[in-house]
Amino acid sequence: MTLRFVGIDPNTGGGGSPTVWVEEESADLVLQGAEAEAVVGGTEWVPGHTAGIPPHETVIRIPVRMASILREACDVAEQRAGLR
């Protein structure tokens, strides 16, 4: 997997931080952020869909101050996938 770095939380300190990449081959967004599993894990968001988070998935929280970085990542991903 080859990742293209797009941005990091501008208010980051020296520890782990919300970060956004675009995977070069698939053009998927790859996100790192604070876990939010306890908030959403037991809720059935879509009727008929199993509640909870599958073992192979996780939930992360990205701060709103990163909205422009996520927009840029979406632009990069669309260009990479040939959608623009």
Side-chain angles (χ1 to χ4, degrees):
M1 176 187 314
T2 303
L3 298 177
R4 175 179 173 175
F5 173 79
V6 177
I8 193 166
D9 182 353
N11 290 356
T12 188
S17 314
T19 308
V20 181
W21 299 268
V22 173
E23 201 278 316
E24 289 288 345
E25 189 172 316
S26 67
D28 290 340
L29 298 180
V30 178
L31 307 172
Q32 170 194 333
E35 291 186 26
E37 292 176 12
V39 177
V40 299
T43 304
E44 181 184 36
W45 296 100
V46 178
H49 194 274
T50 305
I53 302 162
H56 64 280
E57 295 182 358
T58 191
V59 176
I60 60 172
R61 178 188 307 249
I62 299 294
V64 69
R65 63 183 167 263
M66 292 183 67
S68 64
I69 294 170
L70 289 173
R71 279 189 211 95
E72 180 183 347
C74 289
D75 290 344
V76 168
E78 286 181 335
Q79 289 169 353
R80 184 76 186 141
L83 300 175
R84 284 186 165 195

